[in-house]
Amino acid sequence: MPAADLRSIAELGPRIATGEVSPVALVEGCLARIEARRELNAFITVLAMSAFAEARQAAIDIARGHHRGPLHGIPISIKDLIDVAGTPTTAASAVPALHPEVDAPIVRRLREAGAVLIGKTNLHEFAFGTTTEETAFGMVRNPFDASRSAGGSSSGAAVALVEGMCFGSIGTDTGGSIRIPSAACGIVGLKPAYAELPCEGIVPLSTTCDHVGPMTRTVTDARLMFEALAGERVATRSLPGTFTFGVPSGYLIDRLDREIRNGFTRVREALEARGHTVRDVVIEDAAITPDVYLHIVLPEAAQYHARLLEAHAAAYSPGVRLRLEMGRYLLAEDYVRAMQLRAMLTAQVDAALDACDALLLPALAIAAPPLGQTTVEIDGTPEPVRGVMLRLTQLFNLTGHPAIAIPSGRTSSGLPVGMQLVGRHGGTARLLSIAESVESQIAGGAGSVGGGTG
Amino acid sequence: MRVDDWLRNACEDADRRGLPELKPLLEALARSTANLRRADEQLRTAREPGSRE
């Protein structure tokens, strides 16, 4: 079956349930597409043998009438800092890998839902970067232009989805690591609310900012995966037909690449044309976000890595090592200051959401940058790539609000562009319903990317 | 500890540990810490408008 015919979990699930589509055939197709585009470095470990065994078992169970739900028999990939029993957890580093004997809870839930684990995807080393240039397993390349980054840190997952190497993926997001590669590659990425899905069995970057969530080709698929992972059914019937969206003025919108800005204006106009209300909202101190973020993430990352840095410093990529070393110098009093400012930012985002159903903003201020490039020019001013890529996402890791990236079009050179919706605390299910409702009303549309670029 | 003193100590330690390439990052971090402390001071002023003097 051509990759282009294999788009969504929602389309495949019912066909698997009736026996029309074979999980074994899906695994065969995924493995063929992994092999066909190895140069993109999407995977670190391919679990071919166990995937075939799981797919065969799924087919047997379904034939016997034991269909477990929409993920049963669906090939799913796992970011390689999440424990899968019997498989090394490398975190894309040359630092000695973990060898877990039990699955992370998030993986256990996938197995309970009947998913087939197809492999473990590449990432920016220890999830500490946004470009995936620093990895011991080859830079992850953007499927739309192999000279460009696929974002990060969950870039292998995004590439695997674009190329039909899997049908869903599990990523992690500490400053935007689900939403940034989703925007750079044109897929859907959900960062649920903080602690909504379990992070045990996942190599931490920052324990108070880490989130785990699904990456998919459509919002409906993200909903199906979230429901399976959270054990929560997302009700859609009670929603109104139109919504009020809040666009944060100032810091979160004032430094965008021209094409991103124009694309976002088109999204805004498209939503207004469909009867939605789009109004400006204020998050007064959003500009302090990167400073607060640094003073929380750096020491929390250093706490986990201190022992590894003492034993294996030379095994880290130089840039990752230096960023981790920085965290060892921060003062406790500044960490506490950052935590107090974080509470202030959370209250400000809560207040902004009081006036609307969801915040609306781009997911990434630039299109995928060229690999090796450390600065980009925005409005004639050079900006560091790392800071620009984190700018629109990291606030919601500090505040813990659920956020989703959705494809919203392409640049003039054909690179994907993504928008972001942010929901209220406790409102991930509602956010998914809103996103599902508007997905077809913006330039990208459901499944606009995925199923192979070739 | 004042940010300037922190930065001097941190850079000396980075040199002692053979990590001079860390110093530009520490300098950037010091600027960020100064921003953080200014914001914290504003927050405290908003919460405790009275003076202790």
Side-chain angles (χ1 to χ4, degrees):
Chain A
M1 196 178 288
D5 291 344
L6 297 172
R7 285 203 166 158
S8 74
I9 295 170
E11 290 164 352
L12 283 170
R15 295 169 66 189
I16 292 174
T18 61
E20 182 189 346
V21 169
S22 156
V24 175
L26 293 181
V27 168
E28 284 173 349
C30 289
L31 293 175
R33 289 184 285 276
I34 291 170
E35 188 58 33
R37 298 222 68 186
R38 292 185 74 89
E39 77 280 6
L40 298 176
N41 296 316
F43 279 81
I44 290 175
T45 302
V46 179
L47 300 169
M49 298 293 284
S50 59
F52 273 125
E54 291 165 17
R56 279 193 294 270
Q57 188 61 52
I60 291 168
D61 290 345
I62 291 165
R64 289 177 178 164
H66 302 300
H67 185 248
R68 296 193 205 173
L71 300 190
H72 202 171
I74 300 283
I76 303 285
S77 66
I78 309 290
K79 186 177 182 180
D80 196 18
L81 47 45
I82 302 172
D83 284 349
V84 173
T87 306
T89 304
T90 69
S93 181
V95 170
L98 294 169
H99 294 277
E101 295 178 356
V102 296
D103 289 331
I106 199 83
V107 172
R108 193 167 64 239
R109 292 181 188 184
L110 273 181
R111 289 195 196 277
E112 287 166 358
V116 172
L117 305 191
I118 193 76
K120 302 190 75 179
T121 52
N122 204 347
L123 61 146
H124 202 119
E125 184 177 356
F126 284 112
F128 208 179
T130 57
T131 58
T132 323
E133 293 161 302
E134 296 167 312
T135 157
F137 296 88
M139 288 189 287
V140 179
R141 298 181 177 277
N142 194 302
F144 294 88
D145 178 347
S147 71
R148 291 178 179 267
S149 167
S153 64
S154 309
S155 47
V159 173
L161 284 159
V162 171
E163 290 297 330
M165 300 168 177
C166 62
F167 296 91
S169 190
I170 301 293
T172 63
D173 190 317
T174 304
S177 283
I178 286 175
R179 291 160 288 158
I180 291 166
S182 294
C185 294
I187 60 151
V188 173
L190 171 69
K191 180 195 80 68
Y194 179 70
E196 199 162 21
L197 296 179
C199 284
E200 291 81 13
I202 301 175
V203 176
L205 177 57
S206 161
T207 52
T208 70
C209 292
D210 290 342
H211 298 64
V212 61
M215 298 167 73
T216 53
R217 295 193 187 121
T218 69
V219 177
T220 301
D221 283 1
R223 174 174 61 77
L224 292 172
M225 283 191 71
F226 177 75
E227 286 177 339
L229 295 169
E232 179 183 356
R233 190 90 173 89
V234 175
T236 54
R237 288 184 193 158
S238 60
L239 286 177
T242 58
F243 305 103
T244 299
F245 295 105
V247 175
S249 55
Y251 173 81
L252 290 167
I253 210 80
D254 65 4
R255 303 289 287 157
L256 304 177
D257 173 79
R258 181 178 51 80
E259 288 210 63
I260 302 293
R261 182 180 302 285
N262 292 343
F264 184 67
T265 300
R266 286 194 294 274
V267 165
R268 184 173 180 152
E269 290 170 352
L271 291 173
E272 287 172 331
R274 294 283 189 140
H276 302 289
T277 300
V278 183
R279 62 165 64 126
D280 290 339
V281 295
V282 176
I283 301 170
E284 191 177 345
D285 293 299
I288 196 69
T289 297
D291 302 306
V292 174
Y293 182 83
L294 268 183
H295 286 78
I296 293 171
V297 170
L298 290 181
E300 291 186 357
Q303 183 272 333
Y304 175 81
H305 284 275
R307 187 171 52 85
L308 290 171
L309 284 165
E310 294 300 326
H312 305 288
Y316 285 86
S317 298
V320 171
R321 180 192 175 192
L322 289 177
R323 290 198 290 282
L324 289 169
E325 288 285 359
M326 266 202 296
R328 305 178 83 184
Y329 289 92
L330 276 163
L331 298 179
E333 63 177 274
D334 289 319
Y335 178 80
V336 175
R337 286 187 177 101
M339 292 300 265
Q340 292 185 351
L341 289 163
R342 174 188 209 167
M344 175 192 75
L345 288 169
T346 303
Q348 291 182 4
V349 174
D350 283 339
L353 281 162
D354 281 345
C356 56
D357 294 295
L359 300 181
L360 172 71
L361 65 162
L364 189 54
I366 55 173
L371 288 162
Q373 189 167 309
T374 56
T375 61
V376 288
E377 204 163 274
I378 296 181
D379 296 336
T381 306
E383 301 268 0
V385 164
R386 179 177 161 79
V388 167
M389 292 186 84
L390 288 166
R391 186 178 177 107
L392 308 184
T393 51
Q394 63 188 158
L395 171 61
F396 310 109
N397 294 80
L398 290 174
T399 67
H401 291 86
I404 188 167
I406 307 174
S408 60
R410 304 278 187 94
T411 65
S412 56
S413 55
L415 294 171
V417 174
M419 60 170 256
Q420 182 176 201
L421 293 170
V422 181
R424 296 173 187 161
H425 276 297
T428 304
R430 180 175 163 81
L431 175 70
L432 278 163
S433 296
I434 293 169
E436 206 169 352
S437 173
V438 303
E439 184 179 35
S440 61
Q441 300 170 16
I442 57 176
S448 58
V449 177
T453 56
Chain B
M1 187 185 293
R2 291 173 51 234
V3 174
D4 288 350
D5 295 333
W6 170 82
L7 178 60
R8 190 178 59 252
N9 290 345
C11 287
E12 285 173 5
D13 188 68
D15 274 333
R16 183 185 60 75
R17 296 176 61 217
L19 290 170
E21 64 271 38
L22 193 55
K23 290 195 286 188
L25 298 182
L26 291 169
E27 287 163 4
L29 184 55
R31 290 192 289 276
S32 178
T33 302
N35 289 340
L36 184 89
R37 290 188 179 187
R38 270 194 298 275
D40 176 63
E41 198 56 41
Q42 288 167 6
L43 179 65
R44 287 167 64 104
T45 301
R47 286 181 178 170
E48 299 175 13
S51 168
R52 290 189 184 276
E53 296 180 12

